[in-house]
Amino acid sequence: MEGQEELFPQEAEACAPCLLAEVAVAVPVLHHLSYAVPEHLTGKVVPGVRVRVPIGSRRVTGFVVTVATKIPEGALKPLHDVLEERPFLTPATLALGLWVARYYGAPPGEALSALVPAAIRHGRRQKMDVLVELVDAAAAKTLREQHADAASWQSRSRVLRALLEAGDGLRLQEVLRIANVTVSPINTLERADVVRRRRVPALADPLANLRACPTQAPTLTGDQSAALDALLPRLDARKFSASLLHGVTGSGKTEVYLQLLERTLAAGRTAILLVPEIALTPQTLERILGRVPDVAVLHSNLSEGDRAEQWQRLFDGRVKVAVGPRSALFAPLRNVGLIILDEEHETTFKQQQSPRYHARDAALERGRIENALVLLGTATPSMETEGLIARGSIDRLQLPNRVGGGVLPAVGIVDMRYEKPVGPGGMFSRILLHEMDEALSDGGQIMLFLNRRGFSTTVLCRQCGWQAACDQCSIQLTHYRRSDRLLCHYCGRERAAPQQCPDCKSPHVRYSGFGTEKVAEATRGLFPGRCVERMDGETLSKRGAPERIYRELKDGKIDILVGTQALAKGLDIPNVTLVGVISADTALLIPDFRSSERTFQLMCQVAGRCGRGSQKGQVIIQTFCPEHPSIQAAARHDHASFATFELAQRREHSYPPTGHLVRVVAESPNDEAAAKVLAATRADAQSWPEIQDGRVQVLGPAPCPIPQLKGQHRRHLLFIGPDADTVTALLPRLPRRSGKGLKVLIDRDPVAVM
Ligand code: ADP
Ligand code: ZN
Ligand code: ZN
C-alpha cells in the first residue's frame, strides 16, 4: 500500500527503557503501532483507553492494546494525549475486538472503534435529532418528475420520494434507511434549496416506554426442566460452555432464556441476549421486561442520543442485561455470565460491512473470554451449528413439543406442475382456495406467504422481446402497481412504467409474474368482503406499520395477511389456522450453496406461524419441485433428515461447515480492473505453501452470480481451507484496496456468495 512507510513512527529520540504502548490506530493497517508513553501520562495509558498519536504529520486516534516496559529497538515517538479517564473498552471487549480483527482480517483500529457508539466517542450526548424536510413540497414533486429517468438523480429522487410520502419531514436516520442512500444526495438537495435540515428534540425511543407488568414464571414443562437441569450447573460453574437449544416454534425456548437470565442476575453477573432486529417487537420486549426489568435495548433505530444513553447505562453498571441485534454482543458489560443468541440460524447475525463478523462465532469467543455460558436457540439450526455439534464442540438440548400439547400443523405439498391453478399467473391451486374457504368459514385467520415483493416481476415487449432490466444491476425490474413504477430490488433505482416499448415503440408491453402486491389484490378479488392486508418491505416502511398490523391481526380485524419473510418471523397469533405458501421455489432457484438450507428454514418458520392456539393448523405449500429434500423434510418437520442430507452435500464440495471459506470480491465500474486484481491474487497464491500442498483450494476468479450491482462490475475469488487457523493465516496476504476505481473486500465465512 502506498504511504505504508510513513505509518511507522520514525524520528530518533531517547533510547532508555521506557513504557511502550501498542496502539490500534484508526487507519486501515493490520498491525498495531508502538509509541513511547510520556512520563506525565503514566498510569493513564492503560489497555482499552483511547489516545491521540502522531502518524507522519497527522494526529490520529487509536485504542491502547497493551502497555509494557521495554527497551525499544529504535527510538519511538511519544503518544500525544489520553482521551478519557476510564477506558471505553473493558478487558473483555478489547480482547473480543482484537479477535474480530484478527479472525476476519479487519484493521484492528477500525474493529475497535466500531465497538463504541459514535456519540460516545465524539462526546455528543444531547438528545437532538436532525430533521430533514422539504422546502416546498409541490416544487419537490415537480422536480422529481422532471428528473425521473436521469441516472444521476436516482438517489436524490429516492430521498424526495421518502420525504413526499412522509408528508412532514423525516429524521435523518430514517431518510437514510428508507431511501437507502448516504448523506451525499441530501447534501446536494440542501445546497439546491430543495430540502433543509433542522435540529429537533429526539423522538422518544418507541421501545423505551413499554409497560411491563411483572409476571410469574409458569410451571415448567418436562422438556424445559430437563434443559434447565442441564444448563444451570454449567452457568454456575463459571466456565465457558456452549449449547444449542433446539426447540420447535412454540416449544418454550424463551421461558428457558428467562430463567437463565434470572439466575445469572441473581448470581451477580450480567447477560447479553441477541435477537434478530426483526424480532425486537414490543411483544417480545414486554415479555422480557415482565421478568427482567432492568434491560438496555440496543436496536438500530435508536437516535444517536438514545444509543449513547443505553450504552452508558451498561457501561456504568446501572443495567445488567443488554438486548439487541448483533452489535449488542459488544455491550460494555463486566462479568458476563450468559450470552444467548436466539434464532441463531438468521443470516442477519453476519455483519455485511467491515468488520464482517458473525455474531454466533463472536459470541462463542466472548463466552470463552468471559467464562460464560453461550446458548444458541432455534427451531432450525444452521449447518454451522450442526457442524459444531458433530465435532463435539457444543451439545444439543431438545424441546421437541409445543407447550400445552399444541401439535405442529399438518403440511400438504401441492405439485403445481399438475395443477390447473386459479388467479393471475396461476397463483392459487384449487386445494389452497378450498382450504382458505374452509378456514375462513370456521372463523380462522390465514397467512399467505410469498418471498417476492411488488406486483409483476417481468415486464416484456411482446413485439421485440425487450425486457425491463436495471441498467446498473443484472436484474429485471419489478412493477409496483400502486405507484405504477418499475423498481430495481438491488439498487432501489426506479422509473416510470412504460406505456410502450422503449425499443420498438410497440404498445404491447406485457406484465407478468407476481409478487405480494398482486397476490393481495387477487385475494381481495377472490374473497370479497374479507379484510386482506399486506406485510412486506413496502408496507412495513411506514412508521408504526408493524405494530398496527400486529394489533389488527391479534384483534381479528385482518382475515388474510399476505406477506414476505417479514411474516414468517415471530408473529404469534393463536387464531391463524391456515398458512399458504404461494411458491416455495423463490429461494431454491438462487444459485447459492445455502439455498436449500434457506428454503428449509423458511418453510419451517412459515409453518410455525399456524396452529399456535388450541385449534390444529394446516399448511399448504405450492411448488414446482415437490421432491426437493428441503421441501420434503420441511413438510415432515424433520430437521434431522434434512441436516443429514445437507451436511453430506456440503462435505462433498468442501463447503461449510466442512471447509472454511474466504471470499474476495472485487468491485469496479471497470470490469477489467476487477478481473486484473483477482487474477494477480490468484497468480500470487500459486506460490503459497497451503495451495501447493493442496490444503487450500482456490475457485475463480469468476464473475459473481450477481455480476453487476449499482453500476459496479463484480468478480470474486473463493478460498476454501480445511480449518480456521489455516484460513486466518491467508488473510494478511489478500489484497485490500478501496479507491474510486476499485474496491476489494474480504469476507470470511460469508453467509452468501452472490
Ligand atoms: P418459543 O420461544 O420456543 O417459540 P415460547 O417461549 O414463545 O416458545 O412459548 C410459546 C408459548 O407458550 C408462549 O405463549 C409462552 O408464554 C408459553 N409457555 C412457555 N412455557 C410455558 C410453560 N411452562 N407453561 C405454560 N405456558 C408456557
Ligand atoms: Zn419492443
Ligand atoms: Zn439496480
Side-chain angles (χ1 to χ4, degrees):
M1 187 193 288
E2 235 179 288
Q4 182 92 303
E5 294 88 319
E6 77 171 80
L7 294 178
F8 294 97
Q10 314 122 351
E11 240 172 73
E13 268 169 31
C15 225
C18 72
L19 263 191
L20 176 149
E22 299 252 325
V23 181
V25 284
V27 292
V29 291
L30 291 182
H31 51 269
H32 306 146
L33 304 183
S34 305
Y35 292 90
V37 179
E39 215 152 293
H40 69 283
L41 293 179
T42 314
K44 290 188 173 166
V45 177
V46 292
V49 82
R50 284 183 318 151
V51 290
R52 219 190 311 266
V53 298
I55 291 184
S57 58
R58 286 192 298 154
R59 301 244 169 113
V60 181
T61 60
F63 286 90
V64 172
V65 174
T66 53
V67 183
T69 312
K70 271 200 192 130
I71 300 181
E73 285 168 21
L76 286 178
K77 279 190 180 180
L79 54 80
H80 264 284
D81 51 6
V82 177
L83 297 180
E84 57 263 343
E85 296 251 303
R86 189 177 152 205
F88 286 152
L89 299 180
T90 65
T93 55
L94 174 63
L96 182 62
L98 293 174
W99 177 85
V100 163
R102 198 167 52 246
Y103 187 86
Y104 293 99
E110 265 176 41
L112 293 178
S113 63
L115 304 192
V116 182
I120 295 278
R121 277 185 276 129
H122 300 134
R124 285 197 304 268
R125 304 295 168 81
Q126 76 274 48
K127 290 228 182 165
M128 296 294 275
D129 263 339
V130 175
L131 188 80
V132 182
E133 58 191 2
L134 296 169
V135 174
D136 175 347
K141 191 152 185 262
T142 317
L143 200 61
R144 182 167 180 264
E145 277 155 15
Q146 277 166 1
H147 295 280
D149 292 328
S152 60
W153 263 75
Q154 283 304 317
S155 42
R156 269 169 268 172
S157 164
R158 290 205 302 277
V159 170
L160 293 182
R161 177 180 56 184
L163 290 170
L164 284 165
E165 285 192 355
D168 57 348
L170 284 173
R171 293 185 298 160
L172 181 60
Q173 305 100 285
E174 290 178 310
V175 183
L176 300 182
R177 179 174 51 87
I178 295 171
N180 188 17
V181 292
T182 62
V183 286
S184 132
I186 300 171
N187 293 341
T188 314
L189 288 167
E190 189 175 31
R191 280 196 299 273
D193 236 1
V194 182
V195 305
R196 64 174 161 240
R197 262 181 254 226
R198 208 150 51 87
R199 286 185 82 75
V200 293
L203 282 183
D205 171 10
L207 300 178
N209 298 314
L210 290 174
R211 62 198 151 80
C213 313
T215 51
Q216 294 291 316
T219 312
L220 294 177
T221 65
D223 292 332
Q224 285 171 327
S225 299
L228 277 170
D229 285 346
L231 291 168
L232 288 173
R234 286 186 223 169
L235 186 62
D236 297 341
R238 300 188 177 230
K239 276 207 249 90
F240 166 64
S241 78
S243 298
L244 167 70
L245 186 61
H246 183 177
V248 297
T249 43
S251 60
K253 295 186 289 296
T254 310
E255 183 56 39
V256 174
Y257 304 157
L258 292 172
Q259 304 232 349
L260 289 170
L261 284 169
E262 287 169 332
R263 176 79 149 236
T264 308
L265 296 180
R269 302 174 86 195
T270 65
I272 299 171
L273 171 60
L274 301 179
V275 296
E277 180 84 45
I278 195 162
L280 269 180
T281 57
Q283 193 194 357
T284 25
L285 285 172
E286 277 172 15
R287 199 164 155 204
I288 297 166
L289 292 168
R291 296 277 287 282
V292 186
D294 287 328
V295 165
V297 181
L298 303 156
H299 57 95
S300 66
N301 278 343
L302 285 179
S303 68
E304 263 206 349
D306 279 322
R307 173 172 304 281
E309 183 177 289
Q310 296 297 329
W311 195 89
Q312 193 74 45
R313 290 170 74 207
L314 292 161
F315 186 69
D316 296 344
R318 280 179 282 151
V319 285
K320 310 243 180 272
V321 180
V323 178
R326 58 173 185 264
S327 62
L329 179 64
F330 302 104
L333 287 165
R334 284 154 204 278
N335 196 10
V336 173
L338 173 68
I339 304 171
I340 298 170
L341 204 100
D342 190 27
E343 308 290 352
E344 66 85 21
H345 62 278
E346 283 291 329
T347 52
T348 53
F349 282 122
K350 179 86 160 69
Q351 170 140 304
Q352 296 299 348
Q353 40 187 291
S354 182
R356 294 187 165 73
Y357 68 91
H358 198 302
R360 185 197 307 118
D361 297 297
L364 291 168
E365 185 60 26
R366 186 157 189 180
R368 272 179 216 112
I369 294 169
E370 305 256 15
N371 285 318
L373 170 66
V374 179
L375 184 63
L376 313 176
T378 178
T380 50
S382 64
M383 290 304 119
E384 278 75 6
T385 297
E386 289 291 343
L388 290 173
I389 293 171
R391 265 177 268 139
S393 312
I394 71 178
D395 69 335
R396 183 196 319 259
L397 300 163
Q398 308 232 38
L399 301 178
N401 305 304
R402 285 190 163 178
V403 175
V407 281
L408 287 168
V411 181
I413 300 176
V414 182
D415 186 345
M416 295 302 275
R417 292 172 305 182
Y418 303 109
E419 266 290 319
K420 266 218 204 123
V422 182
M427 64 178 76
F428 292 108
S429 62
R430 278 151 207 284
I431 309 167
L432 178 55
L433 283 181
H434 173 75
E435 294 299 336
M436 287 174 73
D437 269 328
E438 298 263 294
L440 290 171
S441 54
D442 289 346
Q445 288 165 290
I446 300 174
M447 289 185 185
L448 294 179
F449 170 81
L450 177 67
N451 212 7
R452 220 159 43 202
R453 284 178 293 150
F455 197 80
S456 300
T457 48
T458 306
V459 180
L460 178 85
C461 170
R462 282 199 279 191
Q463 202 76 43
C464 74
W466 168 87
Q467 275 195 12
C470 181
D471 48 18
Q472 299 289 301
C473 312
S474 19
I475 189 182
Q476 289 187 21
L477 297 176
T478 299
H479 180 231
Y480 282 74
R481 168 94 138 227
R482 201 174 54 89
S483 55
D484 198 25
R485 297 183 76 82
L486 302 180
L487 181 74
C488 170
H489 282 169
Y490 289 167
C491 70
R493 208 190 145 163
E494 57 164 274
R495 52 165 120 148
Q499 300 305 311
Q500 55 177 28
C501 169
D503 275 5
C504 74
K505 311 296 174 215
S506 155
H508 300 293
V509 178
R510 190 176 143 214
Y511 289 76
S512 57
F514 51 85
T516 41
E517 191 185 10
K518 196 185 273 182
V519 174
E521 190 183 281
T523 310
R524 283 192 192 102
L526 289 164
F527 297 90
R530 294 294 184 174
C531 174
V532 180
E533 275 278 354
R534 183 154 59 90
M535 182 166 173
D536 55 25
E538 194 191 10
T539 62
L540 287 179
S541 67
K542 302 206 173 42
R543 192 185 292 155
E547 294 77 15
R548 182 186 58 82
I549 293 175
Y550 171 69
R551 200 42 65 198
E552 294 187 4
L553 203 58
K554 188 118 189 168
D555 296 346
K557 289 214 185 82
I558 297 173
D559 296 306
I560 305 172
L561 184 65
V562 178
T564 51
Q565 53 181 330
L567 153 162
K569 300 187 175 153
L571 280 178
D572 184 0
I573 308 292
N575 196 39
V576 172
T577 53
L578 176 66
V579 168
V581 176
I582 301 294
S583 169
D585 307 338
T586 47
L588 274 186
L589 303 175
I590 296 172
D592 190 288
F593 73 93
R594 274 181 229 268
S595 65
S596 293
E597 181 179 354
R598 287 279 144 74
T599 301
F600 176 79
Q601 289 167 348
L602 215 43
M603 290 306 108
C604 290
Q605 282 161 14
V606 177
R609 293 310 113 214
C610 79
R612 295 182 73 107
S614 49
Q615 302 155 61
K616 191 166 167 12
Q618 195 189 0
V619 180
I620 306 264
I621 298 180
Q622 303 188 144
T623 173
F624 284 94
C625 322
E627 299 91 11
H628 194 283
S630 297
I631 292 173
Q632 285 288 331
R636 296 192 313 266
H637 309 286
D638 185 355
H639 179 82
S641 78
F642 174 72
T644 307
F645 159 80
E646 184 62 17
L647 287 173
Q649 298 280 311
R650 301 283 181 89
R651 200 174 311 117
E652 191 168 322
H653 299 98
S654 297
Y655 278 134
T658 306
H660 292 244
L661 298 185
V662 183
R663 184 183 187 218
V664 186
V665 182
E667 297 181 340
S668 171
N670 171 0
D671 194 25
E672 253 173 59
K676 212 168 131 194
V677 63
L678 294 186
T681 308
R682 165 91 214 215
D684 190 29
Q686 288 318 118
S687 65
W688 300 350
E690 299 90 339
I691 303 270
Q692 287 184 346
D693 66 17
R695 269 181 296 151
V696 173
Q697 303 168 49
V698 207
L699 299 180
C704 296
I706 302 171
Q708 209 188 351
L709 192 62
K710 299 185 184 177
Q712 304 285 314
H713 292 273
R714 308 169 70 241
R715 286 173 176 263
H716 64 174
L717 187 61
L718 212 54
F719 292 91
I720 306 180
D723 56 66
D725 290 344
T726 307
V727 166
T728 306
L730 304 180
L731 298 176
R733 301 177 220 162
L734 298 174
R736 47 196 79 230
R737 217 177 300 172
S738 42
K740 260 215 159 353
L742 177 68
K743 200 166 124 196
V744 179
L745 52 93
I746 291 164
D747 191 3
R748 180 182 193 162
D749 302 342
V751 290
V753 290
M754 298 301 287

